[in-house]
Structures are given as structure tokens and as C-alpha cells.
Amino acid sequence: MHGPAQAGWLLVALCVATGSYCLLRLRSRIEEQRRTAGGEALMGFGMAAMAVPATVLTPPRWAWPVYAAVFGAAALRALWAARRDPHHLHHLVGAGAMVYMALAMTATPSAHAGHGGGGAPVLTGTLLLYFAGYVLWSGVRLLPVRTLATEGGGTGGTGGTVIGWADRPELAMVCRLSMGIAMLAMLLTL
């Protein structure tokens, strides 16, 4: 079937691009960008690996528990980081969703890349609702808003300084939005 394989490759490309930009954000001058970039890069590359169509690569059965362990550790790190920054609660939900999908793949390995399969319908539905809400919320936050500073001929909040590619908060939000869309797509195939 061409549709699912093409969709899988599009997800792979989207997630690799997102993970790559998150690696670039590790060089940011803004501490908040650096703090979240590593976990988001792990999420992007992990989602890319999960989205590879099964017709190309079917991971061995032992790979799914490894995924679950890696993202379980990422979830614990996000839980620890959430003490100082509530944004990490979203990372906790994302890492938890990755653990959930990996465990579902462990239970039914043929479910890889959209072949139907495991997962608890209530939990899958709850995660779908969460990520759909997150995608809508992130999309709204990206809408341009006119501010007094930009209407009055100001610098638009940059203070006249040049912002590097790693320091662009709107690009970081685009990465989070694309990972949310990819997570929705992956949960829909579960």
C-alpha cells in the first residue's frame, strides 16, 4: 500500500528535520532554549526511527523494550525538570506517549508503522485529545500579533540585535508543533 509508506517517510523527514534543528538549538545563547533542546532532539529522532515504514525496516522484537527504557528515562528527566519549569510537563507527556507506543509495539510487533495493533483505546484517545489540543494551542501561538512596539516602529522585541538560528523562539515553537502533529499521526496508526 503506497499511502502508509509515503506517510511514514514524510513523518521520518519531518521528525529528522525537527530533531536536527533541536540539535542546533543546543548552541543557543538563550539558556531556556538549550535546556529543552536535547530532550526535544531525542524525541524528534526517536519518532523518526519509529515512523520508518515496516516494509523497509522491521525492528527486532528487543528494540521496543529499549525504546521504552530510553523514553522512560527521558520521562523521569522531564518529571525532575518540571519542578522548576512547568513546560517540561509537556515533555513528560510526550516521553510517556513514546513509552506507551513502544510497549504497544512490544505486545504486537506487527503493529509497526500503521499495520493496526495494540494499545488501550482509552489511553490512545486521551493522548490523541491532548496532542490535538497542543497542536491547536501551538498553532494559535504562532499567529502574528501586532504589538505596540512593532506598530510604533520599534525593533519588534529584538532590541536591535541579530538573532541567530539557534535563538529563534518561533522556530522552536514550530518544531514543537511539528512533533505534536507527528505524534498525532503516530497515535492514529496505533
Side-chain angles (χ1 to χ4, degrees), residues 11 20 28 35 42 99 111 123 128-129 141-143 157-159 175-176 182-183 186:
L11 276 175
S20 298
S28 174
R35 201 175 352 194
L42 173 69
V99 169
L123 184 53
L128 281 168
L129 285 174
R141 289 185 58 198
L142 284 169
L143 293 174
T158 63
C175 284
R176 291 181 190 119
M183 188 68 78
M186 290 173 71

Side-chain angles (χ1 to χ4, degrees), residues 6-145:
Q6 290 173 343
W9 284 119
L10 288 173
L11 276 175
V12 169
L14 177 69
C15 293
V16 165
T18 300
S20 298
Y21 179 71
C22 290
L23 285 179
L24 179 63
R25 286 179 36 226
L26 285 171
R27 299 181 357 191
S28 174
R29 293 175 288 169
I30 301 169
E31 182 182 347
E32 180 183 341
Q33 293 275 5
R34 287 190 312 266
R35 201 175 352 194
T36 60
E40 290 174 354
L42 173 69
M43 183 70 69
F45 290 124
M47 289 172 67
M50 268 189 168
V52 172
T55 56
V56 175
L57 173 70
T58 301
R61 190 165 178 86
W62 58 263
W64 300 118
V66 171
Y67 270 93
V70 167
F71 285 101
L76 289 174
R77 183 182 180 282
L79 181 62
W80 182 259
R83 296 175 309 121
R84 69 176 180 277
D85 184 6
H87 170 73
H88 290 281
L89 291 173
H90 171 69
H91 293 164
L92 176 64
V93 173
M98 292 293 282
V99 169
Y100 169 64
M101 287 189 291
L103 292 176
M105 297 300 173
T106 300
T108 55
S110 63
H112 177 65
H115 296 281
V122 172
L123 184 53
T124 303
T126 302
L127 289 169
L128 281 168
L129 285 174
Y130 172 81
F131 283 105
Y134 182 79
V135 164
L136 292 172
W137 177 74
S138 297
V140 167
R141 289 185 58 198
L142 284 169
L143 293 174
V145 177

